[in-house]
Amino acid sequence: MKVKVGINGYGTIGKRVATAVNQQDDMEIIGVTKTRPTYEAQLAIQMGYPLYVPADKVDDFKAAGLDIAGTVDDLISKADIIVDCTPGKVSGEYKEAYAKAGVKAIWQGGEDHSLTGISFNAAANYKESWGAQFSRVVSCNTTGLLRTLYPIDKNFKIKNGYVSLIRRSADPNDSKAGPINAIEPVVKIPTHHGPDVQSVLPWISIQTMAVKVPTTLMHIHTVVLELEKETTTEEIIKLLKETPRVKLVKAKDGVKSTAQIMDLAREIGRTRGDMFEIVVWEDGIKVVGNTLYYYQAVNQESDVIPENIDCIRSMCKLEEDPAKSIAKTNKAMGI
Ligand code: NAD
């Protein structure tokens, strides 16, 4: 018996989670939701996903000639688990409906930790979501930070972390967001990213600052970590090479920017040209005294996708061993 997964909000994250779920052998998509009869709704139907819509929008979809399978409430009543990929601060609205139907639900990083009380990263705290009714996969940036901070802390103990985030201002399919010709600092310090890392690893001391820049491809983090245990540049390179979902590249091989990273993802045949791994520049890693410096890049549209799959496995008690779930997800997704 496969776990029945519904996607509420078939947008940037929702459509990727749908693809990844159907690549696994222990779960399947039973339906997705859209609020408007857009090209994405048409594509969902073409992909063979039963389409569910809000009760007050049924007529809009019928008028647009789209075949729907039922209402959002119908999908909620049929699913074992809903992956809620509605825009940030919207999905809290559905909590009551999920609770009433007794269905499990995963929210994304646009929601606050307080909505679920549990936040998820596969390597760092898989077991905290074990059997839970509600959990939350942290945002793209927080997932990126946790992927490298967790193994470094485990091996060398982070005393203090200082991270500057250079954030893409819009996703590639978004023609409304900006800035398009400016650099915009987030003046509230620390930005939400540091406290969000602490929602998974509460003992980590970390300060974060962020600026938005006019690009759509990826975020970049510049990371400075004071470590308690002595280490070397070579040891850190070895550790990150062995870390799942972290990929090392070299500027000296021509991977000088986010443009070449996304080209790499397309060339290796990834679905939608996605780079699910956090990409660290090997020749940009340096240990000086007890301080480690490195740069990493985050493909915001896709790094959280494998985490959603592992979160489903933990919440639905499909695999107790985090490492086995990570390996299974990676194999199925070609990571
Ligand atoms: P999106 O706007 O691309 O997609 C959201 C989808 O939800 C759309 O299909 C829209 O039709 C639907 N929707 C809108 N209002 C709804 C409502 N009231 N009820 C049901 N469905 C509704 O958004 P996204 O980028 O996929 O983001 C989804 C979540 O994932 C957010 O919490 C976001 O913060 C988080 N996230 C986004 C990114 C990213 O870079 N895009 C990365 C990581 C996490």
Side-chain angles (χ1 to χ4, degrees), residues 139-146 149 161-169 183-186 188-197 206-213 215 218-224 294-298 300 303:
S139 73
C140 49
N141 276 309
T142 308
T143 295
L145 288 171
L146 288 168
L149 294 183
Y162 309 95
V163 180
S164 295
L165 298 97
I166 297 129
R167 297 169 56 198
R168 67 89 178 95
S169 49
I183 300 176
E184 187 179 301
V186 178
K188 188 181 165 290
I189 297 173
T191 58
H192 70 273
H193 309 96
D196 212 22
V197 165
I206 178 170
Q207 299 300 328
T208 49
M209 297 174 79
V211 295
K212 262 200 231 173
V213 296
T215 181
M218 302 183 90
H219 307 294
I220 280 194
H221 301 161
T222 70
V223 185
V224 180
Y294 62 95
Y295 298 97
Q296 64 179 25
V298 174
Q300 75 281 352
D303 69 323

Side-chain angles (χ1 to χ4, degrees), residues 4-22 28-34 44 49-53 72 75-76 79 81-86 98 106 108 305 308-309 312:
K4 297 189 188 72
V5 183
I7 304 287
N8 192 12
Y10 189 73
T12 303
I13 300 298
K15 55 191 164 190
R16 288 173 167 78
V17 175
T19 302
V21 164
N22 275 349
E28 64 184 334
I29 292 294
I30 60 153
V32 305
T33 77
K34 280 300 287 178
Y49 300 131
L51 184 66
Y52 294 84
V53 308
V72 176
L75 177 62
I76 293 171
I81 184 162
I82 296 284
V83 184
D84 191 313
C85 304
T86 56
Y98 302 149
I106 298 175
Q108 307 301 313
I305 307 307
N308 273 275
I309 301 301
I312 294 171

